[in-house]
Amino acid sequence: MEPIFSWLFTPVSTIVQSHQKIASFVIFGYMLFYLPKLSPRERIYVGIVTVLLIRLVFESLFVFGTVFQQLTMFYILFPVVYTVFIKFVCRSFDLDLLEFVAKFYLLTYIVFMAIYGRNFSFSLDQIEMDDYGPFSGDGRTIHASSILMMIIPFLWYLNRFITTRKIGSLLIFILCFIIILIHQHRSVWSSAIFSLMIYFFLTMRYNNKTAPRIWNLLFGSIIIVFFVYIFISNMFPGITDFFADRFSEIFDPGKEESTGRFRVEQRETYFKLFLERPIFGWTFEGFEMDNPLVDWWPKYSGQHFHESYMEMLFYQGIVGFFVKFSFLFYLIYKATSKKLTEQTIIILSFCLSGLLFSFSYVLPLIYWGHVGLCLYYIEKDEAGENEVDMNNDEKLLPRQKRALREISYN
C-alpha cells in the first residue's frame, strides 16, 4: 500500500490503483469472514462501516438507479476497516513490526531515489509528467504523503541513539533529518516537529532516566545547528534564505498565490456546503458536483480535496468523520496512559502527527495501517501490564492467573 514501494515494481498508476482497489475488497471480505474472532470494539467499527455502505447502496439505487454510483465512497470509508485489519493480523500472529517498518521506509526511499532521483532539485517549478504516481510533480521528486512516512525511521533511530548511545544510530537519525529537510514539504516539516515534541514529552514522562540524555541531545543539537548555519550562510547564503522563507510560510498558510491559500479557500467553500448536509454528507452527489473553485479537473472525478477533515465532512458528514477519526481521538486519550513502551511511544508520536498533516493533505491509506499497528502495540502494553498485576497477586492459583490473562488479552 506504500506508493513509492509499489512504484519500484509496477511504475504505472492504473496498475497500482487497481491492485489497491482489489486488495481493499479482499480485506473487507476477510474482515467480514473473521468477524466472530474480532474484539467487541473491532466488530462495532466493521459493523458501522457495513451499515454505512448498505445505506449508500440504497441511496445509489433510489437516486441513480445503479448499485453503487461511485466506488470512491467505499475507498473513503475503507481506511476504518484497514486499521482494524492491520491490528487484527498483528495480534493473530503476535508480530513486532516497528523496527522492520523503520528500516523498510529508509531502504525503500534510498532505492527509489537511486532510480528516480536524478532530477531532484530545490526548484519548485512544475514538471510535466505523463504519470505522476507517487511523484510531487516538481524538483522535490517524492510526494509529501510518502516523505511523511520517513518520520518513523526518524523517531526510531533517535530513540535508538538515546537508549544505546551508538554513533551508527545517530548518523542514520541525521540522515533521516536531512531527507525530511531537503524535500521541503512544509506539511512534513510541521508534522515532524509535532511528532518530535510528543515523543520527547512522552519519553521523559514514562522514563525519567532518559530526561538528561534528551536535554543533552537538544543542547548539543542547538550548538551544531548554529555552527552549521554559520558555515552554510557564508558558503551558500542563498540556501539559508531559501529555507528560512519556506519555513516562515508554515506560520502564514494564507499567503497569496500559495498552496496554503488554496487550501484555505477550499476549506471555506466546502464547509458552507457541509453545513447544508451535516449528518451524512453529500456522498455521491458531492462526487459528481461541479468543482466550485477550479475547472481543470475532469467532470465526475470528485472534488480533489487537499484536507482529510474536509473530505470526510463533505462526503460522509459528521457520522463518517467521527467513525474515521475516532481512532486518532482515542490515541490522544491513550497518550495519557499509565505505562507505554518505547515502541508504542514512537509509533504513537508518528500517528498523532497525522492530526496536523490532515490540514494539508488527505491521509494516505498506508498511514491508517500504521494507526492499526499503534493500536496493537497499545493493546500489548495493556495486556502486559495486566499480566504483571495478576502475577503479583499471590492469592490467585496458577490456573486462575492463566485464565485471567486469556480473558484480559481477548
Side-chain angles (χ1 to χ4, degrees), residues 306-410:
H306 273 264
E307 180 183 332
S308 281
Y309 300 125
M310 192 49 59
E311 180 194 52
M312 284 305 298
L313 287 172
F314 178 76
Y315 282 132
Q316 300 290 345
I318 295 175
V319 174
F321 174 85
F322 278 105
V323 171
K324 190 172 185 177
F325 284 94
S326 61
F327 291 124
L328 302 188
F329 301 149
Y330 177 74
L331 293 185
I332 295 174
Y333 165 72
K334 295 308 294 185
T336 63
S337 296
K338 295 180 181 179
K339 182 64 177 178
L340 296 175
T341 60
E342 292 178 3
Q343 292 177 316
T344 305
I345 290 174
I346 292 170
I347 192 65
L348 177 62
S349 301
F350 164 74
C351 290
L352 290 181
S353 72
L355 292 167
L356 201 59
F357 190 79
S358 294
F359 285 107
S360 301
Y361 292 99
V362 173
L363 289 166
L365 180 59
I366 190 66
Y367 166 84
W368 294 102
H370 297 314
V371 172
L373 183 63
C374 182
L375 294 171
Y376 162 68
Y377 275 115
I378 290 175
E379 186 179 81
K380 280 187 66 176
D381 291 350
E382 292 175 343
E385 187 176 351
N386 291 336
E387 183 175 345
V388 171
D389 292 340
M390 287 183 289
N391 286 334
N392 289 335
D393 194 338
E394 297 179 355
K395 296 179 181 180
L396 294 177
L397 296 173
R399 58 185 176 81
Q400 291 174 317
K401 293 178 181 179
R402 288 195 298 270
L404 286 173
R405 280 198 295 271
E406 184 177 353
I407 292 171
S408 173
Y409 185 76
N410 290 334

Side-chain angles (χ1 to χ4, degrees), residues 197-330:
M197 294 170 60
I198 296 172
Y199 168 78
F200 283 147
F201 172 77
L202 294 179
T203 300
M204 289 190 288
R205 178 183 178 185
Y206 295 115
N207 189 351
N208 294 329
K209 295 179 180 179
T210 61
R213 296 181 182 180
I214 291 175
W215 287 118
N216 290 336
L217 176 65
L218 289 173
F219 182 72
S221 300
I222 292 172
I223 295 176
I224 293 173
V225 169
F226 176 73
F227 283 106
V228 170
Y229 174 79
I230 292 176
F231 174 77
I232 295 179
S233 61
N234 282 285
M235 298 297 295
F236 312 99
I239 292 181
T240 55
D241 293 338
F242 172 77
F243 278 99
D245 290 339
R246 290 286 294 164
F247 190 80
S248 66
E249 291 179 5
I250 294 177
F251 304 99
D252 186 18
K255 184 178 179 180
E256 292 294 334
E257 299 181 0
S258 67
T259 53
R261 181 59 191 172
F262 177 75
R263 291 186 180 100
V264 171
E265 293 176 356
Q266 190 178 62
R267 186 180 306 122
E268 293 173 349
T269 300
Y270 287 98
F271 186 75
K272 294 177 182 177
L273 292 171
F274 153 72
L275 292 177
E276 296 180 18
R277 299 187 181 181
I279 306 302
F280 293 105
W282 285 80
T283 61
F284 302 116
E285 292 182 60
F287 190 88
E288 301 196 350
M289 180 190 299
D290 290 336
N291 195 301
L293 294 175
V294 297
D295 58 1
W296 58 69
W297 294 112
K299 197 175 181 63
Y300 307 127
S301 66
Q303 301 302 314
H304 302 275
F305 283 99
H306 273 264
E307 180 183 332
S308 281
Y309 300 125
M310 192 49 59
E311 180 194 52
M312 284 305 298
L313 287 172
F314 178 76
Y315 282 132
Q316 300 290 345
I318 295 175
V319 174
F321 174 85
F322 278 105
V323 171
K324 190 172 185 177
F325 284 94
S326 61
F327 291 124
L328 302 188
F329 301 149
Y330 177 74

Side-chain angles (χ1 to χ4, degrees), residues 134 136 142-149 185 187-188 357 361:
S136 61
I142 301 177
H143 194 273
S145 297
S146 291
I147 297 298
L148 175 72
M149 303 304 154
H185 293 292
S187 55
V188 180
F357 190 79
Y361 292 99

Side-chain angles (χ1 to χ4, degrees), residues 125-141:
D125 295 336
Q126 289 294 117
I127 298 176
E128 293 295 330
M129 305 178 68
D130 295 331
D131 191 343
Y132 285 92
F135 298 98
S136 61
D138 51 34
R140 295 175 291 184
T141 305

Side-chain angles (χ1 to χ4, degrees), residues 104-175:
F104 164 81
Y105 276 116
L106 186 59
L107 179 61
T108 301
Y109 170 84
I110 292 172
V111 174
F112 187 90
M113 288 298 291
I115 299 174
Y116 298 105
R118 57 185 177 274
N119 294 323
F120 174 83
S121 69
F122 292 114
S123 172
L124 301 178
D125 295 336
Q126 289 294 117
I127 298 176
E128 293 295 330
M129 305 178 68
D130 295 331
D131 191 343
Y132 285 92
F135 298 98
S136 61
D138 51 34
R140 295 175 291 184
T141 305
I142 301 177
H143 194 273
S145 297
S146 291
I147 297 298
L148 175 72
M149 303 304 154
M150 289 302 300
I151 295 177
I152 298 178
F154 173 77
L155 294 176
W156 171 263
Y157 286 103
L158 170 62
N159 183 76
R160 293 290 296 171
F161 174 69
I162 290 174
T163 54
T164 66
R165 309 304 291 270
K166 292 183 178 179
I167 298 299
S169 297
L170 176 62
L171 294 177
I172 299 177
F173 162 71
I174 294 174
L175 173 63

